[in-house]
Amino acid sequence: MEKKPFVTKEQLEKIVEKYPTPFHLYDEKGIRQTARDLYKAFSWNEGFKEYFAVKATPTPAILKILKEEGCGTDCSSLTELMMSDRCGFADGNSIMFSSNETPAEEFILAKKLGAIINLDDITHIDFLKDACGIPERICCRYNPGGYFSLGTDIMDNPGDAKYGMTKPQIFEAFKRLKREGVKEFGIHSFLASNTVSNEYYPALAAILFNLAVELKENLGVHIGFINLSGGVGIPYTPDKEPNDIFAIGEGVRKAYEEILVPAGMGDVKIFTELGRFMLAPHGHLVVKAIHEKHTYKEYIGVDACAANLMRPAMYGAYHHITVMGKENEPCDHTYDVVGSLCENNDKFAIDRKLPKIDMGDLLVLHDTGAHGFAMGYNYNGRLKSAEILLQEDGSTRMIRRAETPEDYFATIEGFDF
């Protein structure tokens, strides 16, 4: 799959005149289209709802776009709950709270906002009860253990993950919660990350649908919804084809009709909490080449660093790079594209084949719309960059300004800066 920026060089040059690099740029048109495709793919399920994973892109302007497209939010912290509330999601059906090792104050706020609380562990039942009481609608997170594989390169080890309950635990949890007055139950699970396979969601759905039938038949509980969580990924590298959300939706539908409908559970709602799939392709980190170095390797230094995009430094993640205006030139130079941190892993690309890069060239790092800005930090005193929205009409607006040194110093006590 050829990776093309969602802006042209001419567009970007005009944007850079207004907003200095580096900055994260988001494509409103693409975001809306992905949300609409997701809802169309699951339109067979009357109660379907996407709860966008706020941790992926905690930006109010983005959340409001998704709200307009019918999405809710999936939160995992106090501030994500607060952001969802301030963006208008606290209507009793639009917030999912999936957390672990959760402070009491976070459960209290989640319940106050009418969020669906997703319990990560059986011990959290008493903790929640003591903190604020058990709501009548609740969800439990399931971990089947062992290894999960689709017979391809998609494999993960749920048994080594800190999330979720074992099967005996979730049965016991549902028994106890039923005694506590719960009227509606949900099941949630997450088995693999960033799968580029149309088979992942249908396979996960079958596991959860069978579990739901067992729980209903053995405990007499009402399963109102099943949350397939995230895990549907994107092709970061150009050699892979993107997921087909319509094929995925059809695969889940088949499992639903084979497992749930015969069990008299054709009213179960399907929820998702996608982050990467919804936003990653619709974000670019835009940087400028400002230095070149010729030593044992060829280096291109840009005006961003791992503080702007942590994924390559953190776990060697690949982000495709386009040198704007040179898309059709031969990739006959081999570069390490690096940032300014005093860490040798501050590299956006290693031994990457690219066209010749000249100082002042604009570079686009693809697929940064999720887990890009969100994972920023301030090591070396580096400051988070601005976020810019490319609107549907082609205009741009700043949706988060860049940090300033005064922001960096603002939390320091005892010194006059």
Side-chain angles (χ1 to χ4, degrees):
M1 181 192 73
E2 184 180 0
K3 284 191 171 287
K4 295 182 178 180
F6 53 73
V7 286
T8 64
K9 181 187 177 186
E10 290 71 29
Q11 280 180 294
L12 203 53
E13 286 175 338
K14 289 181 180 179
I15 296 171
V16 169
E17 287 177 7
K18 191 173 182 180
Y19 308 108
T21 56
F23 54 79
H24 286 271
L25 181 67
Y26 303 97
D27 177 25
E28 179 182 1
K29 184 177 181 180
I31 294 168
R32 290 188 183 276
Q33 189 59 55
T34 294
R36 291 169 189 175
D37 286 347
L38 174 65
Y39 270 86
K40 188 175 180 181
F42 283 87
S43 60
W44 54 266
N45 183 259
E46 187 174 344
F48 174 80
K49 194 171 185 71
E50 155 67 8
Y51 290 85
F52 175 72
V54 176
K55 61 180 173 288
T57 317
T59 304
I62 302 296
L63 298 182
K64 288 186 175 182
I65 289 170
L66 293 170
K67 185 175 187 293
E68 289 170 5
E69 297 298 334
C71 301
T73 59
D74 171 66
C75 301
S76 57
S77 70
L78 187 74
T79 46
E80 289 181 358
L81 286 167
M82 293 171 67
M83 182 176 287
S84 296
D85 181 24
R86 295 181 187 187
C87 289
F89 288 92
D91 61 7
N93 193 46
S94 294
I95 302 175
M96 178 76 64
F97 183 56
S98 300
S99 181
N100 62 95
E101 318 314 329
T102 309
E105 63 176 342
E106 300 190 1
F107 277 136
I108 292 168
L109 180 58
K111 189 180 180 190
K112 179 181 177 183
L113 297 179
I116 302 170
I117 294 174
N118 184 20
L119 293 179
D120 183 65
D121 188 68
I122 192 169
T123 62
H124 294 177
I125 296 173
D126 289 338
F127 189 89
L128 176 64
K129 183 179 179 180
D130 292 342
C132 56
I134 305 293
E136 291 189 350
R137 177 181 58 175
I138 203 159
C139 185
C140 288
R141 195 169 191 175
Y142 175 55
N143 185 331
Y147 286 86
F148 176 78
S149 176
L150 293 174
T152 63
D153 60 345
I154 304 300
M155 187 175 79
D156 217 328
N157 183 5
D160 197 38
K162 70 175 183 175
Y163 310 111
M165 307 180 200
T166 66
K167 190 171 182 179
Q169 286 175 337
I170 203 167
F171 267 78
E172 180 60 26
F174 273 43
K175 286 179 188 175
R176 291 173 58 183
L177 289 165
K178 184 181 179 183
R179 290 198 300 266
E180 294 291 342
V182 171
K183 301 288 194 300
E184 181 182 358
F185 290 84
I187 308 171
H188 170 285
S189 192
F190 177 83
L191 300 186
S193 180
N194 194 43
T195 61
V196 187
S197 165
N198 295 333
E199 277 72 57
Y200 169 61
Y201 251 12
L204 171 61
I207 292 170
L208 296 184
F209 294 168
N210 280 309
L211 176 64
V213 172
E214 284 189 64
L215 286 162
K216 179 202 173 189
E217 291 181 349
N218 286 279
L219 303 181
V221 294
H222 169 53
I223 308 291
F225 59 90
I226 291 173
N227 188 335
L228 301 178
S229 69
V232 176
I234 63 153
Y236 285 98
T237 56
D239 61 326
K240 292 182 179 178
E241 290 297 318
N243 284 317
D244 181 346
I245 196 62
F246 295 102
I248 291 170
E250 178 63 13
V252 175
R253 184 192 65 79
K254 287 181 179 178
Y256 190 98
E257 293 187 353
E258 289 172 3
I259 301 168
L260 290 181
V261 172
M265 300 175 69
D267 60 343
V268 173
K269 302 178 182 70
I270 301 298
F271 296 162
T272 57
E273 50 181 53
L274 300 169
R276 195 190 316 264
F277 177 81
M278 299 293 289
L279 254 294
H282 309 306
H284 294 333
L285 175 60
V286 180
V287 304
K288 184 180 291 184
I290 59 173
H291 290 289
E292 57 185 327
K293 183 175 183 176
H294 316 285
T295 53
Y296 304 105
K297 302 183 77 172
E298 295 294 300
Y299 293 96
I300 294 294
V302 299
D303 57 359
C305 63
N308 306 102
L309 180 64
M310 185 197 288
R311 297 183 73 252
M314 188 177 186
Y315 34 65
Y318 178 97
H319 283 270
H320 198 66
I321 296 175
T322 295
V323 184
M324 298 302 289
K326 299 181 179 180
E327 293 88 343
N328 298 319
E329 294 186 14
C331 294
D332 53 4
H333 286 63
T334 302
Y335 296 114
D336 280 15
V337 180
V338 301
S340 59
L341 293 188
C342 299
E343 293 288 342
N344 197 45
N345 68 346
D346 184 20
K347 299 177 179 180
F348 294 116
I350 298 173
D351 296 329
R352 186 74 61 87
K353 292 286 189 181
L354 293 166
K356 183 181 185 301
I357 297 176
D358 297 301
M359 296 305 91
D361 278 350
L362 293 174
L363 279 61
V364 158
L365 279 69
H366 290 251
D367 301 318
T368 65
H371 310 290
F373 177 90
M375 296 176 73
Y377 56 104
N378 291 123
Y379 180 61
N380 267 181
R382 296 298 173 186
L383 305 173
K384 294 180 183 178
S385 50
E387 292 180 292
I388 311 297
L389 182 65
L390 176 64
Q391 300 179 117
E392 287 187 289
D393 64 2
S395 64
T396 56
R397 68 182 176 98
M398 183 185 292
I399 55 177
R400 192 192 302 264
R401 66 166 174 80
E403 285 185 333
T404 68
E406 291 308 310
D407 295 322
Y408 181 74
F409 296 134
T411 57
I412 297 172
E413 297 288 347
F415 291 88
D416 184 8
F417 282 94

